Amino acid sequence: MALLKVKFNQKKRVKLAQGLWLMNWFSVFAGIIVFSMGLFLKIELRKRSEVMDNSESHFVPNSLILMGILSCAFNGFAGKICYDSLDPAKFAKWKPFLKPYLALCLLFNILIFFVALICFLMRGSLDSTLAQGLKNGMKFYRDTDTPGRCFMKKTIDMLQIEFKCCGNNGFKDWFEIQWISNRYLDFSSKEVKDRIKSNVDGRYLVDGVPFSCCNPSSPRPCIQYQVTNNSAHYSYDYQTEELNLWRRGCREALLHYYSSMMSSMGAVVLLVWLFEMSVMVGLRLLHTSLESIANPEDPECESEGWVLENNLKDTLKSALESLKKIGKFNQVEADAEGAEGEEGGKTPAITTVS
């Protein structure tokens, strides 16, 4: 029994073809939107590529760009088929291509669904990428005189100001690295010498943070040095002064920003996938309804259209059998070639009579 079997007359076939033509052009527009989202996400990721450890995060925007291009190509082609289906003479030239085209459409829709899932599932990979990238970026914060790293201070400062964050996981991350360049340290000072000697790696570590960690909404001037020393500041307790420095780490802030963006894009791609699936089903109904016309010379006669000629179970069973036959055919050919090779390799015996 056919799946989703529908009866059509000439009027219904024309309406279906016209509706599909319009839907395909809407799908082209949706493909442009998907392409634009991928391009926007790629630009946003490149803006902060200095604080990302690798390029794995670009898999999502690259996939969106590819799906957008393919969507425009597939739906533009389908729109042409639907337009030509109104004329039986024009439609005849497309008949040999429709089954392969519908198979490609099915594969394309599977890929779109996969890309939509990836948009929701990239959070874990993005988290590790940002954690390591920010850690490395903070290490290079002081290297303002080193070629290739001189921009990192500005990048980190702008990032902390824009996203209202501080450090990787929090402001205390700055206590574990030397973020002040040696160029601005007075090595004749006893305090500087003592701090460097007290550290195994010979680094100048302080309980301070860059100015970009300061919260401009704080009611008091920013305290960025001796942050954990309550006695160094009047009426101050660093554990309760939540407004003085940004408490949220930049990894969390960036992860939330990009995850929200990718989740929104994933929802849009899912909607596009549902639309593409409906277009594919409609095109299949149009294809089968035109092929099943009993009398091609009478285009006004009734016909039947279906999505699958048999039910889903029988269709899967026949598909598996076809794959097995192809496998056996290839095996027989390989055996036959092997046998020919063996026969060719034999040398005829020569008998000599004395």
Side-chain angles (χ1 to χ4, degrees), residues 118-129:
I118 289 295
C119 288
F120 294 108
L121 300 176
M122 276 296 289
R123 183 183 175 90
S125 176
L126 190 62
D127 189 10
S128 59
T129 296

Side-chain angles (χ1 to χ4, degrees), residues 66 82 84 89 240 277 298 301 310 326 347 352:
L66 178 62
C82 294
D84 287 349
T240 58
M277 285 294 292
D298 182 17
C301 67
N310 300 311
I326 292 171
T347 56
T352 56

Side-chain angles (χ1 to χ4, degrees), residues 23-65:
M23 288 176 71
N24 274 294
W25 288 110
F26 274 123
S27 295
V28 170
F29 180 69
I32 294 172
I33 292 174
V34 172
F35 175 84
S36 302
M37 288 193 307
L39 197 61
F40 174 75
L41 181 58
K42 194 171 185 69
I43 292 170
E44 285 296 304
L45 289 171
R46 282 196 178 278
K47 279 183 184 177
R48 299 168 186 93
S49 59
E50 296 89 356
V51 294
M52 293 188 176
D53 184 45
N54 52 49
S55 58
E56 285 181 11
S57 54
H58 287 275
F59 177 75
V60 173
N62 290 340
S63 300
L64 290 172
I65 289 170

Side-chain angles (χ1 to χ4, degrees), residues 56-102:
E56 285 181 11
S57 54
H58 287 275
F59 177 75
V60 173
N62 290 340
S63 300
L64 290 172
I65 289 170
L66 178 62
M67 289 300 105
I69 293 170
L70 289 177
S71 178
C72 292
F74 273 97
N75 289 292
F77 183 71
K80 174 64 176 171
I81 292 174
C82 294
Y83 182 78
D84 287 349
S85 65
L86 298 172
D87 185 353
K90 289 182 178 179
F91 179 74
K93 67 180 181 181
W94 295 114
K95 279 188 177 181
F97 303 102
L98 276 173
K99 281 188 178 180
Y101 173 75
L102 286 167

Side-chain angles (χ1 to χ4, degrees), residues 144-174:
T144 52
D145 298 326
T146 306
R149 298 178 184 172
C150 55
F151 60 87
M152 191 56 73
K153 178 184 180 300
K154 180 181 178 182
T155 300
I156 296 291
D157 283 334
M158 293 302 295
L159 178 69
Q160 293 187 147
I161 291 170
E162 182 182 352
F163 285 90
K164 300 179 179 179
C165 59
C166 185
N168 191 344
N169 297 306
F171 68 90
K172 288 186 178 180
D173 292 337
W174 289 107

